[in-house]
Amino acid sequence: MYLRALTLDDILEARERIRDICVNTKLIYSSDFSKECGNEVYIKPENLQLTGAFKIRGALNKISKLTDEQKKRGLIASSAGNHAQGVAYSANKLDIKSTIVMPRTTPLIKVQATRQYVTNVILKGECYDEAYEEAKRLEKEKGYIFIHPFDDVEIMAGQGTIALEILEELKDTDAILVPIGGGGLISGIAVAAKSVNPNIKVIGVEPEGAKAMKISLDEGKLINLLEVDTIADGGAVKNPGQIAFAIIKRYVDEIITVNDFELMEAVFILLEKHKLVVEATGALTVSALKKLKLKGKKVVALVSGGNIDVVTMASMLNRGLLLRGRIFCFSLKLQDTPGQLLKISEILATLGANVIRLQQDQFKAIDRLKHVVLEITVETNGSEHIEEITKALNRDGYNVYKVY
């Protein structure tokens, strides 16, 4: 039943239904990611979509198909953020009342963005699944129409329009990388892509701390997680979709998992190299590029969303700088005599290391009457540059202790 539930015709009809509102986000070629993974990499930037994520495609398609009687009852949805905005925007556009239930852990930017379109936002639970339970309770109590974020054929059909756009722009695509939360996005894309070209590889990417769909495929049955632990809030789903599982089992070629450090590095590279603001979930696919078994192929990485608050972004960028070897903090012991600091500064200046913080502390040295401990943070060009700095200081008789 599930394998027949979603067809290419559903997706083609969805494209016509949402065409005048949703943005056709054009592919961006990435020379940096191409070099790193040995493939020809293109980014599908759904972070530039209306409401900042792909979710509006499915929500708009689903809500547009409701009957007048259903619309009068009002809508309810549960979401970690992006589906909420998609439903709220679509309902507002079609003059339908809606209620959105979001986890209390939802980034503030997503809560505020949702409230632009709807006043009734309820914060409940610590993750998506707990918000979902509250939304289903209100559905029964109030008679609302529940708009599922992923396990719904009309939702999947809307998301599948992304694959149609990719294949119209890059007809000889060899592989599409898709993030997985509940599984609705990759279900729509897989059905569309495989229907157009059965030889295309459709590869899912999940956070290591929330890999429910990968475990389910490995076990051959749908598995629900007891807990999730990932910075990718949009992918933090304990209970993946039943319809999605059946479709993924048939159409998806592989699922790759990535950890939080890999995600933070990807967020940093996307901002620095492509000037794209991307949330952690949105960076899942690009963080998996180095793990691909493919070489010399045309690969499209779907960047699913860019709704990230400034504080979280700042934190991720700092971690990204460290992971890419762009920041180097070290300490060394100096003789407590004039000119020592100048000598260190000259070495660093010669090597092009920009000092961004410096702290001299006499009390950290055991023999503090003769020596002081100097802690320096410098901006570097990467791991090779750090090694060059360390060797230069060692040659001049300084023992370098890496702080971070």
Side-chain angles (χ1 to χ4, degrees), residues 18-38:
I18 70 176
R19 185 192 293 274
D20 293 337
I21 296 178
C22 292
V23 177
N24 183 343
T25 52
K26 298 299 182 180
L27 297 176
I28 299 170
Y29 173 71
S30 174
S31 59
D32 293 285
F33 287 120
S34 296
K35 290 175 186 175
E36 281 199 0
C37 75

Side-chain angles (χ1 to χ4, degrees), residues 97-164:
K97 292 182 179 179
S98 62
T99 297
I100 308 295
V101 185
M102 308 176 81
R104 286 191 291 265
T105 53
T106 303
L108 183 60
I109 186 175
K110 294 183 179 181
V111 177
Q112 291 175 330
T114 304
R115 283 181 172 146
Q116 291 181 65
Y117 312 114
V118 59
T119 55
N120 195 13
V121 175
I122 299 169
L123 300 180
K124 183 76 173 181
E126 299 304 315
C127 65
Y128 162 75
D129 299 274
E130 292 175 12
Y132 169 80
E133 289 171 7
E134 175 65 10
K136 293 298 285 183
R137 185 187 70 79
L138 290 170
E139 174 194 21
K140 292 179 181 178
E141 181 182 307
K142 305 289 186 179
Y144 297 139
I145 299 298
F146 181 73
I147 308 298
H148 202 287
F150 49 82
D151 214 30
D152 181 288
V153 172
E154 278 81 27
I155 293 290
M156 293 174 178
Q159 323 303 26
T161 60
I162 293 171
L164 299 180

Side-chain angles (χ1 to χ4, degrees), residues 178-197:
V178 189
I180 297 179
L185 172 62
I186 196 170
S187 294
I189 287 177
V191 170
K194 295 283 189 176
S195 297
V196 174
N197 179 2

